[in-house]
Amino acid sequence: AIAVVFPAFFILVAALVCLTTMTRMVDEQRGLIGTYKAIGYGKAAIAMKFVLYSLMASLSGGIIGCIFGLKVFPLIIYNSWNIIMPKIKYANHIILSIIAIASMAAVIVAATLAACMSELSEVPSTLMRPKSPKKGKKILLEHIGIIWKHLSFSGKVTARNIFRYKKRFFMTVVGIAGGCALMLAGFAIKDSVSALIQKQFVQIIKYDATISYSDESVLDTVKADDRIDDYDTIHTYLSDVGNAEVIEDEDKQQKEDITIDVVENADEFEKFILLRKRNTNVTYKLDNDGICITEQLAGTLGVRAGDTIYLSSDSGIRKPAVVSHVVEMYTNSYIFMTAGYYEKVFGEEYLPNAILVTLTQKNDDLQNEVGSDYLSMDNVKGITFCSSNIEKFNNMISSINLVTYVLILSAAALTFVVLYNLINVNVSERIREIATIKVLGFFDKEVAAYVYRENIVISIIGSLAGLILGRGLHLYIMKTIEMDNVMFGDAVRPVSYVYSFVLTMIFALFVNLVMYNRLRKVPMVESLKSVE
């Protein structure tokens, strides 16, 4: 899912950068294009000059990118898994490389053609003259007197310049928003996976182990065991669950094999598993009027609270049951019900076959000791510790961390390139304007502030738009990458928004500083005579 979504964003942002660059290149060569047309060159021949330029750049960049991407990124991700694996063997992704290079080249060439069309439609005499500056006019903010009257002269000039060049404004905002969105998505993926452990194995699952037994005499041992702090008996089994009484065509019916926990004492059960609605503080309590099912199972079956599903008893009797609540659960699919509801639905006696236990201490030595002691007993079928699941997900998180760092760094690099390119184009397009205000007596710092204010305001707007876009991208990715028996959720730490915003603004400020030397050295006379 990530491999499908992220390249699409990168290609779109790259196309935006190339469109800006090629538009500027075409603008700079208006006079030359007019000369070509005047001496008889056709539109296609003139456009081919720019198309070939962009095509050569995209092909050479694509080849370098494929060599780098197919060697470095797989190596980083391959080595991120915390297991012993053989030395990596690289596959020949010739078709994939051709598709990647061709798609990037096609987008860039299309952007180049779009930039050429508007210029080529004009007659030679018009092209040989400098392009007329954009006409100044009142902006919407000027009609809001309370705000406009309190703005300084510099603030009014900044506002007018931002909305005077609408195309450049929107392109810069979209470019910055795309890079910021990719960074936030990278941070948010990491947050969602990391939050899974805290929510699942601290807040929801509160017990330490499950002991399955064949004889109730093991209860006496558990009661007398001073290493066990608390316990509760349940009846647990696997059942075939669906939204139809008889499943004849599996392609047309939703069907899942899930774990059903039947609880004797609902009050005691709350100490071991918290039943609650996701993203809220609403908690539920089991009763004899229905069952609680986990969120991912409800989504798979397409049911919600108040609907009816069909499930089987431990002996295989299939009956309908009413869904009272849909509860939060991130690993595995469960159905919870009381012993009273189980007996009412299936007409079978409730007989416990497992014990949920919490230990006095949470450490590996105690777990190993308890596990060995109980597994040596004849009436114990098995014991499962929650810590094994925590370790598994910790390994998964440490593995995915490196992958998300690669995505974040790639997005950060893209954001920097977008900012540098767009701000560079902004300065190039306004070189005569900048030279004019320098001639009028503006000092270097005042000239820089004149340009920087616009860049910073646009960067802030783009970053805020990127945070909204990034949140939507994150929600899509987390929904798409869900797998059987694992739901990642959509938690994002507030600090991730701060990181994405601050990084984008740091890049913007850094690019502005890089541009300062260029602004300081603008040749005033040459710039003003450039039209001649």
Side-chain angles (χ1 to χ4, degrees):
I2 295 173
V4 170
V5 174
F6 274 77
F9 261 76
F10 275 92
I11 288 175
L12 288 174
V13 176
L16 179 70
V17 173
C18 294
L19 178 62
T20 309
T21 305
M22 295 310 299
T23 302
R24 178 60 191 159
M25 181 180 290
V26 173
D27 283 342
E28 287 177 342
Q29 299 194 19
R30 275 174 59 87
L32 188 59
I33 293 172
T35 305
Y36 285 149
K37 291 193 74 173
I39 61 177
Y41 281 92
K43 293 181 181 180
I46 298 171
M48 191 57 64
K49 171 188 175 180
F50 300 99
V51 169
L52 287 176
Y53 175 87
S54 63
L55 184 63
M56 289 172 62
S58 58
L59 289 177
S60 57
I63 292 169
I64 295 170
C66 282
I67 294 172
F68 182 82
L70 294 176
K71 297 297 181 184
V72 176
F73 288 144
L75 182 64
I76 293 172
I77 296 170
Y78 188 84
N79 290 331
S80 70
W81 302 105
N82 297 326
I83 55 176
I84 298 173
M85 297 177 72
K87 187 177 180 181
I88 188 171
K89 292 183 179 180
Y90 294 101
N92 294 320
H93 294 289
I94 297 175
I95 302 298
L96 177 62
S97 300
I98 292 173
I99 293 172
I101 295 171
S103 60
M104 182 62 75
V107 170
I108 293 172
V109 169
T112 304
L113 285 172
C116 292
M117 286 302 101
S118 60
E119 301 292 345
L120 291 173
S121 62
E122 297 184 18
V123 296
S125 59
T126 304
L127 289 169
M128 290 180 184
R129 297 191 188 99
K131 185 180 282 188
S132 300
K134 283 191 175 290
K135 182 182 178 182
K137 55 183 178 181
K138 277 192 173 184
I139 61 174
L140 179 63
L141 199 60
E142 292 187 53
H143 297 286
I144 308 175
I146 298 176
I147 299 175
W148 187 255
K149 288 177 182 178
H150 290 86
L151 287 177
S152 64
F153 172 77
S154 298
K156 291 177 180 178
V157 171
T158 300
R160 280 177 175 156
N161 282 338
I162 287 174
F163 293 102
R164 183 182 178 190
Y165 303 98
K166 294 183 179 66
K167 181 180 177 182
R168 187 175 64 221
F169 168 74
F170 284 114
M171 291 181 73
T172 307
V173 167
V174 171
I176 295 171
C180 184
L182 288 168
M183 277 196 287
L184 177 61
F187 283 118
I189 291 170
K190 180 176 176 294
D191 290 343
S192 294
V193 178
S194 299
L196 184 149
I197 292 179
Q198 175 67 23
K199 288 186 175 182
Q200 178 70 17
F201 298 107
V202 176
Q203 299 176 11
I204 299 174
I205 302 294
K206 301 178 182 180
Y207 62 90
D208 296 315
T210 303
I211 303 173
S212 301
Y213 61 86
S214 55
D215 191 299
E216 290 188 2
S217 59
V218 72
L219 284 172
D220 297 330
T221 306
V222 170
K223 291 177 183 177
D225 195 336
D226 58 5
R227 297 168 300 183
I228 294 177
D229 182 54
D230 201 359
Y231 72 93
D232 189 29
T233 58
I234 63 170
H235 179 82
T236 182
Y237 66 99
L238 291 175
S239 173
D240 185 47
V241 178
N243 50 16
E245 184 173 1
V246 179
I247 300 176
E248 297 176 353
D249 188 348
E250 294 189 4
D251 293 332
K252 295 182 179 180
Q253 298 292 346
Q254 297 296 331
K255 174 180 136 179
E256 287 290 321
D257 290 320
I258 54 93
T259 301
I260 296 182
D261 286 350
V262 185
V263 180
E264 184 173 10
N265 190 326
D267 293 327
E268 286 294 316
F269 187 69
E270 290 180 346
K271 301 177 183 178
F272 299 89
I273 295 181
L274 177 65
L275 302 178
R276 70 180 182 188
K277 186 177 181 180
R278 185 163 60 92
N279 295 331
T280 69
N281 294 320
V282 178
T283 58
Y284 303 121
K285 186 176 180 180
L286 291 173
D287 54 40
N288 294 331
D289 296 323
I291 61 175
C292 288
I293 71 172
T294 53
E295 187 175 339
Q296 191 178 37
L297 176 61
T300 302
L301 298 176
V303 298
R304 55 185 178 179
D307 292 343
T308 299
I309 63 172
Y310 288 81
L311 59 154
S312 302
S313 67
D314 201 4
S315 63
I317 300 173
R318 192 171 180 82
K319 294 288 185 179
V322 177
V323 178
S324 294
H325 305 291
V326 177
V327 297
E328 180 181 16
M329 189 71 67
Y330 295 93
T331 62
N332 301 321
S333 295
Y334 291 92
I335 289 179
F336 303 101
M337 70 174 79
T338 62
Y341 191 72
Y342 178 85
E343 292 175 351
K344 181 169 73 172
V345 170
F346 298 110
E348 294 182 358
E349 183 183 0
Y350 163 81
L351 295 172
N353 61 1
I355 310 171
L356 304 179
V357 300
T358 54
L359 303 178
T360 54
Q361 298 179 26
K362 298 182 184 294
N363 59 67
D364 293 339
D365 292 337
L366 181 61
Q367 288 185 5
N368 292 333
E369 180 185 323
V370 171
S372 298
D373 290 347
Y374 280 89
L375 285 174
S376 63
M377 299 171 61
D378 294 334
N379 54 1
V380 172
K381 292 182 177 180
I383 182 169
T384 304
F385 289 96
C386 294
S387 60
S388 61
N389 289 325
I390 296 175
E391 183 179 355
K392 179 179 71 175
F393 280 100
N394 272 326
N395 288 334
M396 182 178 71
I397 288 169
S398 61
S399 301
I400 207 170
N401 278 350
L402 189 55
V403 179
T404 53
Y405 289 145
V406 170
L407 294 174
I408 291 167
L409 290 174
S410 300
L414 181 67
T415 305
F416 179 81
V417 171
V418 169
L419 281 165
Y420 182 84
N421 184 75
L422 293 172
I423 292 175
N424 186 40
V425 169
N426 182 14
V427 173
S428 299
E429 286 179 345
R430 301 170 61 186
I431 199 75
R432 297 183 75 246
E433 178 187 341
I434 293 168
T436 301
I437 63 174
K438 291 191 75 170
V439 169
L440 293 173
F442 278 59
F443 293 107
D444 289 336
K445 290 183 179 178
E446 291 174 324
V447 173
Y450 177 78
V451 177
Y452 290 171
R453 270 192 297 267
E454 297 174 31
N455 294 338
I456 291 172
V457 170
I458 294 174
S459 298
I460 292 173
I461 295 172
S463 299
L464 294 176
L467 296 180
I468 298 171
L469 182 63
R471 176 58 172 162
L473 176 62
H474 165 245
L475 291 173
Y476 170 77
I477 290 174
M478 299 318 296
K479 189 65 179 176
T480 306
I481 66 174
E482 281 186 1
M483 44 191 161
D484 291 342
N485 294 327
V486 178
M487 185 181 73
F488 291 109
D490 55 9
V492 183
R493 293 182 304 162
V495 72
S496 293
Y497 290 98
V498 176
Y499 287 156
S500 303
F501 181 84
V502 170
L503 280 173
T504 306
M505 295 308 300
I506 287 173
F507 292 146
L509 292 173
F510 180 72
V511 172
N512 283 334
L513 291 175
V514 171
M515 287 294 168
Y516 178 75
N517 199 42
R518 183 178 176 188
L519 292 173
R520 189 171 59 84
K521 293 182 177 180
V522 167
M524 291 177 278
V525 177
E526 289 84 346
S527 298
L528 291 172
K529 292 178 67 177
S530 61
V531 175
E532 299 175 17

